[in-house]
């Protein structure tokens, strides 16, 4: 359990770093740049390379009796993102403002729609990790920018964004944020397991 938590925290640090870079790259625009979306791929590449525990990299391969472990992984991922969220607060760049724009968009989109968009992200993440387990890493470089460009929601990346926003904004919208985030977590879980739901077992 301790090793799982340590691994998941480290995974959260890498995803938080990727999110930091994405927000920094898009400070002149509203939602980040294409270059930032591509650079975000390093987060997942690091997770795969170090064999770290990431919620969306694990959910599609988890067994029924390991659901508790999956949510321990999510907790560790969030703690790792918190470290980068604190770092973002001392940056001379307006990372907090950029993160708030992302969160405002999530709230405008609504909890249900964010959850549905999370299904698309989960599907792409499980697909990319499946290829990586077969030592085919190129899909990782496509799947991450694709989910960002499509506006699909990723619960670990979003954890970083939410932990960057000004505290007053967070307090003012706490219940809405929790609702949106819970739907994204569920949507990612469904998307990660979509191949299990749709494909017959002989094709899995």
């Amino acid at each position: 359990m301790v090793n799982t938590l340590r691994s998941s925290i480290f995974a959260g640090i890498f995803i938080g770093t990727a999110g930091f870079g994405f927000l920094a790259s898009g400070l002149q625009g509203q939602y980040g740049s294409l270059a930032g979306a591509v650079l975000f791929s390093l987060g997942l590449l690091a997770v795969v390379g170090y064999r770290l525990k990431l919620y969306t990299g694990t959910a599609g391969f988890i067994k029924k009796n390991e659901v508790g472990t999956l949510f321990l992984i999510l907790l560790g991922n969030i703690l790792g993102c918190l470290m980068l969220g604190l770092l973002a607060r001392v940056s001379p760049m307006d990372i907090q403002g950029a993160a708030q724009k992302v969160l405002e968009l999530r709230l405008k989109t609504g909890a249900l729609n964010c959850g549905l968009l999370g299904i698309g992200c989960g599907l792409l993440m499980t697909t990319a990790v499946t290829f990586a387990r077969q030592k085919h890493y190129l899909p990782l470089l496509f799947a991450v920018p694709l989910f960002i460009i499509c506006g699909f929601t990723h619960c670990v990346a979003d954890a970083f964004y939410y932990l960057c926003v000004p505290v007053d904004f967070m307090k003012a919208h706490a219940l809405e944020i929790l609702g949106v985030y819970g739907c994204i977590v569920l949507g990612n879980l469904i998307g990660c397991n979509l191949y299990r739901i749709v494909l017959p077992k002989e094709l899995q």
Side-chain angles (χ1 to χ4, degrees):
M1 183 178 291
V2 173
N3 286 340
T4 297
L5 186 61
R6 290 172 62 183
S7 176
S8 59
I9 290 172
F10 203 36
I13 288 172
F14 275 114
I15 298 300
T17 302
F20 196 125
F22 173 69
L23 293 180
S25 73
L27 286 174
Q28 295 156 353
Q30 190 173 4
Y31 306 120
S33 67
L34 177 60
V38 173
L39 290 173
F40 199 110
S41 300
L42 181 61
L44 189 56
L45 283 166
V47 167
V48 171
Y50 283 116
R51 299 182 181 180
L52 302 176
K53 298 293 186 182
L54 181 69
Y55 178 84
T56 50
T58 307
F61 309 97
I62 208 82
K63 297 176 183 177
K64 289 183 179 179
N65 61 347
E66 297 174 331
V67 174
T69 300
L70 181 62
F71 286 96
L72 177 65
I73 290 169
L74 179 59
L75 173 62
N77 292 163
I78 292 171
L79 290 174
C81 287
L82 174 61
M83 295 180 189
L84 268 295
L86 294 173
L87 191 62
R89 292 178 182 278
V90 301
S91 172
M93 296 180 287
D94 187 20
I95 301 297
Q96 290 188 72
Q100 182 171 322
K101 287 180 180 179
V102 173
L103 185 48
E104 287 173 348
L105 179 61
R106 297 288 189 263
L107 296 178
K108 182 179 178 181
T109 302
L112 177 59
N113 290 335
C114 282
L116 293 172
L117 291 168
I119 295 174
C121 178
L123 175 62
L124 288 174
M125 292 302 93
T126 293
T127 301
V129 173
T130 297
F131 276 97
R133 289 184 172 198
Q134 299 167 5
K135 301 193 183 300
H136 300 299
Y137 300 104
L138 191 59
L140 293 174
L141 297 176
F142 289 101
V144 174
L146 182 58
F147 93 69
I148 293 174
I149 291 170
C150 289
F152 295 160
T153 51
H154 186 287
C155 64
V156 182
D158 270 40
F160 167 73
Y161 301 145
Y162 299 176
L163 291 167
C164 285
V165 299
V167 174
D168 290 344
F169 185 87
M170 177 71 76
K171 288 181 178 178
H173 301 277
L175 290 178
E176 292 176 82
I177 292 169
L178 286 173
V180 168
Y181 190 72
C183 286
I184 293 173
V185 170
L186 180 59
N188 285 168
L189 180 63
I190 294 170
C192 287
N193 288 280
L194 200 58
Y195 78 103
R196 289 174 165 173
I197 299 168
V198 176
L199 294 177
K201 288 186 178 181
E202 59 268 21
L203 294 179
Q204 294 179 15

